[in-house]
Amino acid sequence: VSSDQVTIGVDIGGTKILGAVVTADGEIVRRERVPTPGRGSSVAQTTEAISRLLEDLTGSHQAEAVGVAAAGFVDEGRSMVRYAPNLSLEDAPLRAELEKELDLPVVLENDANAAAWAEFRFGAARDADHLLMVTVGTGVGGGIVIDGELLRGRYGSAAEVGHLRVVPEGLPCPCGQRGCWEQYASGSALVRMARERAADEAAAHLLETVGGEAAAITGPSISSAAESGDPFATSLLTELGRWLGEGVATLAAVLDPEVVVVGGGVSEAGDLLLGPLREAFSSHLTAKGHRPEAAVVPASLGNQAGVIGAADLARRS
Ligand SMILES: [Zn+2]
């Protein structure tokens, strides 16, 4: 694909499918979205939804290739979604189905990998060659770039950092194991901690902001209470940041990254999360004081990273 041609990036999320026409410089020139077909839907329904989205996008732009990012395990040939519990996709031959439908080359990628690639090429880590990206949303996702190459592993399942075990025999995880990092360091963990402690006196103000019901506490309600100085909400983000920082230090022992990019919805809390994260990272880093420390920075492409990364990976494949 030559540099003056556009490619298309698609990001299949739990509730919506985003599509965008993207230039060689990572600029989005047009975008659309459709709802993700619900639980129990077929691969054909997902393919149809993506086709409709692409018809809208290609109406005005002649794209040369399509990259599709999905929240799930993608096989080593980047042609199948092996397992994506939130998308009703299991052993789904999405690439073949879409290529047949679209008559364009298609490449599949895990969504966190695609986001990491976008931050590496055009975003917060564009000046680095070694990147660890941690995406803090409903779960904890990850993407790793080493020496300018995305780390996929032999079977395509590398960088599932959310399932690093941080607590022996800890909380059960939908992945089938216990004590996974995302059970302690994700947006879902943040909300769980807040609801569990909602009866504490300290939680009174946060509870008031959501109408008095513990079940109404959400990630954004915690972040906005923390931003307005609520000590309880702030302490929750501090705790989450510590869990994240400790995990990042463990990963740094293996990967030795140059930059750690923190993205995902919860990262919008900014320094309320990143401050404690940096502190915990630094204090748990092995051989601290005898090695350069990676910079921990916020992601810069927001929720468009997936489509931008997928489009760029399609261009390169
Ligand atoms: Zn797990």
Side-chain angles (χ1 to χ4, degrees):
V1 179
S2 73
S3 63
D4 58 348
Q5 284 170 319
V6 295
T7 55
I8 289 181
V10 174
D11 189 353
I12 314 175
T15 57
K16 59 187 182 295
I17 305 176
L18 290 176
V21 177
V22 183
T23 69
D25 300 322
E27 298 290 335
I28 291 180
V29 291
R30 186 156 173 219
R31 33 184 237 156
E32 297 287 342
R33 64 169 62 183
V34 293
T36 306
R39 273 177 191 276
S41 55
S42 64
V43 179
Q45 283 170 302
T46 301
T47 312
E48 266 170 41
I50 297 172
S51 302
R52 277 201 309 279
L53 182 71
L54 292 176
E55 267 168 35
D56 287 347
L57 291 169
T58 51
S60 52
H61 296 88
Q62 189 57 48
E64 298 299 315
V66 177
V68 178
F73 287 82
V74 171
D75 75 328
E76 65 271 31
R78 296 196 285 163
S79 61
M80 306 257 295
V81 177
R82 280 195 205 279
Y83 180 56
N86 296 322
L87 304 178
S88 297
L89 292 174
E90 196 172 319
D91 293 330
L94 218 47
R95 183 168 79 189
E97 297 279 327
L98 284 170
E99 285 184 339
K100 201 166 61 190
E101 193 87 21
L102 306 169
D103 206 21
L104 283 175
V106 172
V107 60
L108 273 184
E109 189 55 77
N110 166 270
D111 62 340
N113 282 359
W117 185 254
E119 294 290 346
F120 164 69
R121 289 272 294 139
F122 310 111
R126 64 187 173 277
D127 297 325
D129 286 329
H130 299 265
L131 151 75
L132 164 64
M133 176 150 181
V134 178
T135 310
V136 191
T138 311
V140 174
I144 294 163
V145 174
I146 293 180
D147 241 339
E149 296 288 338
L150 200 51
L151 180 74
R152 291 197 174 85
R154 170 62 182 85
Y155 302 107
S157 331
E160 287 291 339
V161 300
H163 303 284
L164 192 73
R165 191 166 85 153
V166 295
V167 178
E169 298 310 312
L171 293 166
C173 181
C175 77
Q177 302 298 334
R178 302 186 78 97
C180 294
W181 194 24
E182 72 174 24
Q183 297 307 317
Y184 302 88
S186 63
S188 310
L190 180 72
V191 171
R192 188 197 66 234
M193 291 190 291
R195 290 179 184 174
E196 279 170 2
R197 300 172 200 173
D200 296 0
E201 203 176 314
H205 174 255
L206 173 64
L207 207 54
E208 203 177 293
T209 66
V210 297
E213 286 290 330
I217 297 174
T218 59
S221 67
I222 297 166
S223 293
S224 83
E227 270 155 34
S228 63
D230 178 69
F232 175 68
T234 305
S235 74
L236 291 170
L237 285 171
T238 300
E239 194 170 335
L240 201 75
R242 278 195 204 125
W243 277 113
L244 284 164
E246 287 184 28
V248 168
T250 301
L251 289 164
V254 181
L255 299 168
D256 188 21
E258 183 178 354
V259 177
V260 178
V261 176
V262 184
V266 184
S267 72
E268 284 164 26
D271 281 339
L272 288 166
L273 183 74
L274 289 185
L277 193 166
R278 286 189 185 105
E279 225 168 90
F281 165 59
S282 178
S283 63
H284 288 85
L285 192 64
T286 183
K288 178 177 165 52
H290 303 281
R291 60 187 289 180
E293 286 183 25
V296 178
V297 300
S300 68
L301 300 173
N303 59 11
Q304 307 194 343
V307 286
I308 294 172
D312 195 61
L313 288 163
R315 175 179 298 281
R316 292 174 160 245
S317 73

